[in-house]
Amino acid sequence: MRAAAFTDLIGPDGIEVIDVDSPDPGPGEAVVDVEACSINHHDLWILNGASAMIDPSDLPFVTGLDVVGVVDAVGEGVTGVDPGDRVVLCPNETCGTCRFCREGPENLCANYSLYHGGLAEQARVAADRLIPLPDGVDATTAAALPTAYLTAYHMLRRAEVEPGDLLFVPGATGGVGVATIQLADIRGVRTIGTSSSSSKLDAVADLGADHTIHGTDPDDLRDAVADIGTPDAVVNHLGGVYTGLGLDVMRRGGRMVVCGRTAGPTSEIDIAGLFRGHKRVIGSTMGTQADLERLVDLVAAGDLDPRIDRTFPLSETAAAFGTMQERETLGKLVVTMD
C-alpha cells in the first residue's frame, strides 16, 4: 500500500509517498481502509524536527491522527466493530491501568500518547478506539473532528462556560481557534476572536464570533478587549505572551485553559494578579473518547459543520503541509485517498 511518509525532518520537502507493507490486525486491533485523514500542527512540528518524540532513527515515519474510513478486517477478540463499518478513530493511546485511566478522565493517563499512521491507504488501530460514523456524516467532515474540535470541546468544558458568558479566543483563525468559536456559538457563549488577518476575521465572524480584533500585539489587544468587556474565560492555544494577556483581561474568578505553545513554550505572568483575582490557569490536552462521540452526534444532528479549508489527495501530502506552514488556511486541511 501507499503511505505519505516523513523521510527527512526538514519540513514539507521531507515527505515522500512510498510503498509499505499492508498491515494485518493483531488481537484487539482492526485494519481500516482510510478514506480521509486531516493534518495538524502536531504533525508539522514533527516534520520540522521540533518534536522530541521523533528522531532521524525513526524514519521513515507515517503520521496522521485523524483517521476516518471503513473497517477492512478485525483481529482476535474484537467486538463492537465489524468489517464494512464506517468509523472515525479516537487517537488517544492510554495504558488502561494507571490511576488516571481507572478514575478518569482518560486523557490524564500517566502514559498518554497519540496514534500516528493515518496518512496511508490502510491503518492498523486499536479496535476499541473506533467510533461508528452515521451515514449522514461524510469522511472529510469527520476527519476534522478528532484533534482540533476534540481539543476545543474539552477546553470549553474545563473553562466551565455557560450561555451568555464572554470568552476570549486569541488566535481565533487557527484550527483550535475556529473550532472554539463554532462550539462556543452552539453553547450560546459570546466570543472575542483575534487574528493577524482581517479577511480571516470576517470568515470567523460568519462562523459565529461576536467580536473580532485585528492585531497581534498584546498591549493593543489588552485595550481592545477592555473596550468590549471583561471575559469570563479564555481559551489559549498559543501560549507565550498570550498567557499573561489572558490573565490580565479576565474577570475576577476567571478561567483560562491552555493547550498549546505556538507563540512560545514559556510565559511570564503576574503572580499577585493571579491569586488576588482568584483566577485559574488550567492545562488541557486533547479530550476523551466520549467527547468525540458527542462531536459526531453534533455533526449528525446538523448542529455543527466543521470548517474545512481544502482537501489534498495522498500524492499531494507535501503540498498540504506546505500550505499549513505558510499559514494560508482557515479551517482544517484534509488528506484523502486518491
Side-chain angles (χ1 to χ4, degrees):
M1 70 171 185
R2 296 180 307 148
F6 296 174
T7 57
D8 202 350
L9 302 181
I10 56 172
D13 289 340
I15 298 176
E16 295 180 35
V17 177
I18 63 175
D19 289 322
V20 298
D21 292 338
S22 297
D24 293 317
E29 295 180 335
V31 171
V32 175
D33 289 330
V34 180
E35 294 181 341
C37 182
S38 70
I39 62 174
N40 299 282
H41 278 281
H42 169 86
D43 306 307
L44 186 59
W45 286 328
I46 295 172
L47 182 58
N48 285 328
S51 172
M53 66 173 291
I54 298 296
D55 62 48
S57 66
D58 299 310
L59 304 179
F61 176 76
V62 179
T63 192
L65 289 67
D66 301 342
V67 177
V68 178
V70 177
V71 176
D72 175 70
V74 298
E76 180 182 351
V78 170
T79 60
V81 292
D82 296 296
D85 289 351
R86 299 181 67 241
V87 291
V88 57
L89 175 71
C90 177
N92 291 346
E93 292 187 342
T94 57
C95 68
T97 58
C98 73
R99 165 192 169 188
F100 304 102
C101 285
R102 295 194 307 271
E103 299 177 3
E106 66 185 59
N107 55 333
L108 280 178
C109 172
N111 300 294
Y112 183 82
S113 187
L114 292 168
Y115 172 84
H116 299 86
L119 292 177
E121 291 177 325
Q122 288 190 318
R124 182 172 59 202
V125 303
D128 61 2
R129 287 297 182 188
L130 293 173
I131 296 171
L133 199 60
D135 290 339
V137 181
D138 67 88
T140 300
T141 298
L145 298 176
T147 298
Y149 283 80
L150 177 60
T151 297
Y153 184 89
H154 196 75
M155 292 176 79
L156 286 170
R157 289 180 58 203
R158 302 208 66 194
E160 300 174 1
V161 287
E162 298 178 352
D165 281 354
L166 183 62
L167 177 71
F168 179 42
V169 188
T173 55
V176 173
V178 169
T180 300
I181 294 294
Q182 290 188 277
L183 291 168
D185 186 54
I186 292 172
R187 288 171 174 245
V189 174
R190 298 174 297 132
T191 51
I192 304 171
T194 76
S195 176
S196 60
S197 168
S198 57
S199 61
K200 288 183 180 181
L201 282 176
D202 291 340
V204 166
D206 291 338
L207 293 173
D210 297 278
H211 308 276
T212 59
I213 303 171
H214 181 214
T216 59
D217 180 80
D219 292 330
D220 294 339
L221 295 179
R222 186 178 292 106
D223 294 339
V225 171
D227 289 341
I228 295 169
T230 305
D232 299 281
V234 177
V235 164
N236 176 10
H237 66 93
L238 299 175
V241 296
Y242 296 95
T243 306
L245 170 64
L247 283 170
D248 288 346
V249 300
M250 280 195 309
R251 69 164 173 83
R252 293 176 62 81
R255 293 85 56 197
M256 176 165 56
V257 187
V258 185
C259 77
R261 54 179 177 85
T262 306
T266 61
S267 300
E268 184 174 324
I269 64 174
D270 175 9
I271 296 297
L274 175 68
F275 65 77
R276 288 175 180 167
H278 300 267
K279 300 177 181 181
R280 284 182 278 164
V281 179
I282 305 163
S284 187
T285 297
M286 293 289 281
T288 68
Q289 189 158 331
D291 291 336
L292 183 54
E293 290 170 351
R294 294 186 186 101
L295 286 169
V296 171
D297 289 343
L298 286 174
V299 175
D303 296 322
L304 173 64
D305 184 15
R307 169 76 182 222
I308 310 295
D309 186 276
R310 69 194 83 168
T311 63
F312 294 81
L314 183 69
S315 58
E316 297 179 14
T317 300
F321 277 100
T323 300
M324 175 177 283
Q325 185 154 275
E326 294 300 319
R327 300 177 63 193
E328 299 174 353
T329 64
L330 179 72
K332 296 297 294 179
L333 300 175
V334 181
V335 173
T336 60
M337 298 306 114
D338 50 351

